[in-house]
Amino acid sequence: MDELILVKYGEIILKGLNRPLFENKLIRNIKTSLKDLGKIKVTRAQATIYIEPMDKMIQISQMIERLKKIFGIVSISRVAKVEKDMECIKKQAVEYLLPTLTHHKTFKVETKRADKRFPLKSPEISREVGGYILSKISHLKVDVHTPDIIVNIEVRDTSAYVYTEKIPGVGGMPTGTNGKATLLLSGGIDSPVAGWMIAKRGVELEAVHFFSPPYTSERAKDKVIELTKVLVSYCGKINLHIVPFTDIQMEIYEKCPDDQLTLIMRRLMMKIAEKIGLKNNSNALITGESLGQVASQTIQSLGVTNAAVKLPVFRPLIGMDKDEIVAIARKIETFDISILPYEDCCTIFVPKHPKTKPQLDKLLASESHVDVDGMVNKAVNETELIEITQ
Ligand code: ATP
Ligand code: MG
């Protein structure tokens, strides 16, 4: 009996005429992600993707671990492929599922008959298979309302498939189906989560990190590289741009009023990220800001930060509480890296009494004392590029 994986996808089904575009992208992303495991065959039929290992050495469990991180997948099932004949379906279902079924008390059979020419209808198939299971495993009982386990039978074009498990996928849209955005990635908890949330909607990511040596150490940079690697395990590839930021911070520190430092610095970060983003065909910027979290994230502060750029700024965490953000950070496995203790550049030049209700004209007046365009261009030119792939 051959084992393979059936993958189901959700929202893509709603895409009408564009649907093949989304499906093909998802298949390409699956192939890329599994490439190094060995030879596999990936096909698609009736809103299902079939992934067959062509090499006995490939571990299905390892394939499943990878698939759990691919955006666009709603569920993953490890299945047995059986001959499309009632006797085979019954016998092989019991043989394949016996080790699993013996651990449960109640079950029910659910059948999907995608091949409408198959002689028995779905309820009849379920009844026959159910009866056979009952006759072979004496302690099992049928419970159609709240069974401990569901035996799924799918009768499709060339074969039938039997399985019990539907592992939830990560959902979202396939990477590469929804443009590109540039993520301002600090070493903190919030920005990796923000990047992940936008990537989940099919958006490719570029990342920009502002680095302030010698105030921030090489280890702070390594931490950002590690965070990017985690994001890459979901979305395949990220160009990480490391921007030297010390000179800019010193210049602002010297020439601008203390209570405006953070906001002027944030506006410069946005301008630099936008310039890098536009060079890389990004359609938007992403930050990890959340309304009211700190002085630079009041509604007025976000307004003046926004006014620094023309690209749309996505702030997917805007309405979330810290504990909600932390829950996602744990789930996507960025949390443990984010809480490593290395300084990030923003914690160094922190004013004692930052403005919480800034006025744009006052910030612009202060910015006129420094060469904003010159500093932005210089920082972009000195940026280091690190390409991170799976
Ligand atoms: P995070 O947990 O993402 O660091 P935060 O709550 O510490 O966020 P701030 O330090 O005010 O908030 O930063 C707000 C946003 O600005 C971050 O979410 C991130 O998108 C961006 N940002 C801050 N510092 C940097 C940096 N050193 N490099 C790149 N982006 C940064
Ligand atoms: Mg931070």
Side-chain angles (χ1 to χ4, degrees):
M1 215 178 322
D2 287 335
E3 262 195 316
L4 64 148
I5 296 173
L6 296 194
V7 158
K8 310 272 170 156
Y9 40 93
E11 254 177 85
I12 301 176
I13 293 174
L14 306 173
K15 289 289 161 196
L17 290 178
N18 282 332
R19 181 169 149 182
L21 238 74
F22 286 80
E23 289 172 325
N24 292 338
K25 191 76 198 171
L26 178 57
I27 289 177
R28 233 172 304 147
N29 293 348
I30 289 173
K31 284 183 177 167
T32 309
S33 162
L34 302 180
K35 197 170 55 191
D36 61 310
L37 297 181
K39 202 166 156 36
I40 54 159
K41 190 170 136 200
V42 184
T43 48
R44 170 175 64 83
Q46 295 161 312
T48 302
I49 294 172
Y50 300 70
I51 308 171
E52 267 176 272
M54 305 304 282
D55 170 352
K56 290 276 170 260
M57 298 302 285
I58 302 178
Q59 286 181 8
I60 299 231
S61 54
Q62 207 178 358
M63 291 167 73
I64 291 175
E65 282 316 302
R66 301 265 180 101
L67 294 168
K68 278 187 192 167
K69 290 186 155 189
I70 295 181
F71 294 128
I73 294 180
V74 167
S75 79
I76 306 155
S77 297
R78 181 178 188 144
V79 309
K81 179 163 144 184
V82 303
E83 224 176 287
K84 248 169 72 176
D85 160 272
M86 271 322 284
E87 283 310 304
C88 294
I89 294 177
K90 285 192 297 197
K91 288 215 178 78
Q92 295 186 345
V94 171
E95 186 191 328
Y96 179 63
L97 301 177
L98 191 67
T100 317
L101 289 175
T102 48
H103 293 113
H104 295 88
K105 293 199 179 74
T106 61
F107 78 106
K108 93 173 188 188
V109 182
E110 279 184 2
T111 303
K112 204 190 254 159
R113 180 168 154 269
D115 173 12
K116 300 295 176 208
R117 294 161 311 176
F118 193 74
L120 269 65
K121 297 237 164 63
S122 302
E124 294 163 347
I125 301 171
S126 297
R127 218 174 304 130
E128 272 212 32
V129 175
Y132 189 81
I133 293 175
L134 285 173
S135 74
K136 294 289 171 192
I137 309 172
S138 54
H139 76 274
L140 267 183
K141 290 198 171 55
V142 173
D143 180 344
V144 290
H145 301 297
T146 50
D148 295 342
I149 189 162
I150 298 176
V151 172
N152 294 280
I153 313 277
E154 296 193 13
V155 181
R156 293 178 166 268
D157 278 352
T158 53
S159 307
Y161 303 90
V162 179
Y163 62 94
T164 53
E165 207 181 13
K166 270 191 192 155
I167 303 161
V170 68
M173 304 295 288
T175 303
T177 56
N178 221 345
K180 193 195 263 188
T182 293
L183 167 67
L184 285 84
L185 180 63
S186 72
I189 295 171
D190 303 334
S191 44
V193 172
W196 183 86
M197 286 177 70
I198 298 299
K200 181 168 183 272
R201 298 304 302 165
V203 178
E204 272 179 66
L205 297 184
E206 293 270 332
V208 174
H209 177 68
F210 298 92
F211 181 53
S212 307
Y215 303 98
T216 52
S217 66
E218 278 298 315
R219 284 196 297 183
K221 185 163 136 188
D222 292 342
K223 180 177 165 185
V224 172
I225 294 174
E226 289 310 309
L227 286 170
T228 310
K229 284 186 184 163
V230 176
L231 293 176
V232 160
S233 72
Y234 292 91
C235 58
K237 175 180 188 287
I238 296 177
N239 288 331
L240 172 63
H241 305 263
I242 307 270
V243 182
F245 205 53
T246 318
D247 291 352
I248 292 183
Q249 283 180 300
M250 300 302 267
E251 179 84 358
I252 303 171
Y253 193 63
E254 266 170 38
K255 303 209 172 127
C256 301
D258 187 73
D259 62 356
Q260 295 178 349
L261 288 180
T262 309
L263 284 170
I264 295 178
M265 186 181 83
R266 300 219 29 84
R267 282 168 52 81
L268 272 148
M269 282 185 173
M270 298 299 274
K271 283 178 190 288
I272 294 167
E274 180 180 55
K275 191 141 197 168
I276 293 172
L278 287 171
K279 270 186 161 179
N280 293 290
N281 303 317
S282 285
N283 311 95
L285 301 176
I286 308 166
T287 74
E289 289 157 317
S290 157
L291 194 54
Q293 202 188 69
V294 288
S296 60
Q297 297 175 25
T298 62
I299 204 161
Q300 295 85 353
S301 296
L302 291 174
V304 300
T305 309
N306 227 43
V309 290
K310 294 204 178 66
L311 275 180
V313 182
F314 294 161
R315 298 180 173 89
L317 312 186
I318 198 73
M320 291 172 76
D321 296 346
K322 196 73 185 187
D323 52 355
E324 295 171 306
I325 300 168
V326 164
I328 301 179
R330 286 188 195 278
K331 182 179 91 172
I332 67 174
E333 295 178 336
T334 52
F335 184 76
D336 289 344
I337 304 171
S338 290
I339 58 171
L340 293 172
Y342 317 116
E343 289 286 297
D344 123 335
C345 66
C346 306
T347 48
I348 298 156
F349 303 90
V350 184
K352 282 189 203 66
H353 302 288
K355 277 244 178 295
T356 53
K357 290 184 184 164
Q359 287 167 306
L360 185 57
D361 53 352
K362 298 217 168 107
L363 288 182
L364 289 171
S366 303
E367 283 175 11
S368 70
H369 300 305
V370 293
D371 175 14
V372 170
D373 291 343
M375 289 197 294
V376 169
N377 288 332
K378 181 165 175 284
V380 172
N381 289 336
E382 290 173 356
T383 293
E384 176 197 0
L385 171 65
I386 306 175
E387 290 177 31
I388 301 182
T389 49
Q390 247 166 1

